[in-house]
Amino acid sequence: MDGTDSVGGGGVWRPEGGRLAYGMQLPVQSQSTLYAESWEAAAGPADLVELARAADRYGFAYIACCEHIAIPRRLAEAMSTVWYDPVATLAHLAAVTERVRLLSHVAVVGFRHPLITAKQYATLDRLSGGRLILGVGAGHVAEEFEALGVDFARRGAVLDETVDALKAALGPEEFPKFAGERFAFEGLGQAPRPVQTPRPPIWVGGSSPAAVRRAAERGDGWLPQGDRREQLPAQIAKLRRLREAAGVGEPAAIGTIAEPLYVGDPGWAVGRRTLSGAPERIADSLREYGAMGVHQIQVRFRSRSRSELVDQMAAFAADVAPHLN
């Protein structure tokens, strides 16, 4: 880790000194029509490696990979069926990077027993030298749950208990103990243990009332999903109220997903919502998130090729990032 990262009590990750950090969801590994660029369809592992190395080189706080097990035909046209496994992908990229953190955004941890998840992600934290951030979410595709024999209607309650179980299973004890309604374990040892102590941070994804409550009461951080800029202040205030009411003293690491970005004059149609132009203009706009109480922004650049994306990442790091703080 360099000086931009810190781990506090409970595994909380925050930029040092109140700095506004930036990370990115990797392209290629998920190809929903909502955000995938046309060049990604022909891309593959070599492109992911180059982009991960670029993120490492240009000071990105994290790279992220999300999870779907299998997409039903009714959603395949919009969502695509390209969803790389987050554990395998992030482990592969851990071997070719040194500093950048590895975020599952998000893992649907209710799909499996928490001891399985703990084994996978503790190993990833060990292999990466302590760079895991475990992002978790409830999931939204009913057919995935049905195929795996998991109750879709009860997925929120399952996730709540799973997060509690993971806090024990990823903690400092080689033989963790947990007793809940669905899961219980004790006297069962797992090694290797995570590098991070007392455990890797757990960030909760989602913007529904249940997700915000879960992030407030159980999460080390919050990953909003779909909140527009004007909605965030009220959501952040609600999260803080719920957190205080739950007696959680450690502040949550608050994130957001920024509008699509293009540094400079694109010279092509990047979409009306894309924030583009002079680096100072982009930085001024993104600093508004910091003023709301956001700690990290997830950025996604418009691009027509891998090389253009790498150029955008470099331009952001050189010309925008120095003005964020």
Side-chain angles (χ1 to χ4, degrees):
M1 296 298 132
D2 66 14
T4 63
D5 296 334
S6 62
V7 178
V12 175
W13 174 92
R14 288 188 302 276
E16 290 182 353
R19 290 171 56 87
L20 184 61
Y22 55 95
M24 69 181 291
Q25 182 91 225
L26 288 166
V28 181
Q29 54 82 30
S30 69
Q31 295 189 26
S32 167
T33 58
L34 290 176
Y35 48 73
E37 302 284 12
S38 59
W39 65 266
E40 295 179 46
D47 301 279
L48 282 170
V49 166
E50 287 306 306
L51 291 165
R53 286 173 169 160
D56 207 40
R57 185 165 63 246
Y58 296 132
F60 283 68
Y62 63 78
I63 50 176
C65 183
C66 47
E67 178 173 45
H68 277 288
I69 300 296
I71 306 301
R73 286 188 184 275
R74 68 179 179 89
L75 297 174
E77 184 176 354
M79 291 182 63
S80 114
T81 58
V82 179
W83 297 85
Y84 283 46
D85 177 76
V87 177
T89 305
L90 294 173
H92 181 66
L93 299 178
V96 298
T97 56
E98 296 179 355
R99 183 208 64 85
V100 68
R101 284 182 170 263
L102 308 163
L103 168 65
S104 59
H105 186 181
V106 290
V108 187
V109 292
F111 282 158
R112 55 189 70 83
H113 193 285
L115 284 180
I116 297 174
T117 300
K119 169 61 72 175
Q120 293 174 312
Y121 283 98
T123 302
L124 176 55
D125 195 61
R126 175 62 59 174
L127 289 172
S128 67
R131 291 189 278 146
L132 169 69
I133 302 173
L134 178 56
V136 302
H140 65 94
V141 179
E143 289 91 335
E144 288 184 296
F145 288 81
E146 293 165 5
L148 297 171
V150 181
D151 187 350
F152 179 72
R154 296 287 295 163
R155 67 192 184 282
V158 170
L159 178 56
D160 285 346
E161 185 172 320
T162 300
V163 170
D164 293 342
L166 285 171
K167 287 181 177 180
L170 291 170
E173 299 299 325
E174 181 181 354
F175 291 84
K177 181 178 180 180
F178 178 80
E181 180 181 339
R182 300 163 184 82
F183 308 114
F185 48 84
E186 65 176 310
L188 296 169
Q190 285 191 326
R193 304 303 303 156
V195 171
Q196 296 180 79
T197 58
R199 57 172 171 77
I202 298 175
W203 290 358
V204 175
S207 292
S208 68
V212 174
R213 173 198 55 77
R214 185 174 298 116
E217 296 176 355
R218 289 177 162 84
D220 301 314
W222 177 45
L223 296 163
Q225 186 68 40
D227 289 292
R228 290 188 176 272
R229 189 180 291 226
E230 62 271 15
Q231 297 171 316
L232 271 176
Q235 288 277 67
I236 293 170
K238 178 181 179 181
L239 182 142
R240 288 173 172 165
R241 288 195 304 270
L242 291 170
R243 199 168 181 85
E244 182 179 3
V248 182
E250 190 71 33
I254 295 172
T256 192
I257 301 174
E259 299 86 350
L261 303 178
Y262 194 94
V263 183
D265 179 11
W268 57 286
V270 294
R272 62 180 181 84
R273 288 194 62 244
T274 298
L275 181 59
S276 64
E280 296 82 0
R281 175 179 181 269
I282 295 173
D284 285 345
S285 181
L286 295 180
R287 279 200 302 269
E288 293 178 5
Y289 286 115
M292 296 175 191
V294 168
H295 299 105
Q296 63 86 8
I297 53 173
Q298 186 171 120
V299 295
R300 178 177 286 274
F301 303 100
R302 295 302 318 274
S303 61
R304 293 164 294 179
S305 65
R306 186 187 83 189
S307 62
E308 185 172 29
L309 177 52
V310 171
D311 288 345
Q312 280 290 301
M313 294 168 69
F316 185 90
D319 301 327
V320 179
H323 302 291
L324 289 180
N325 298 284

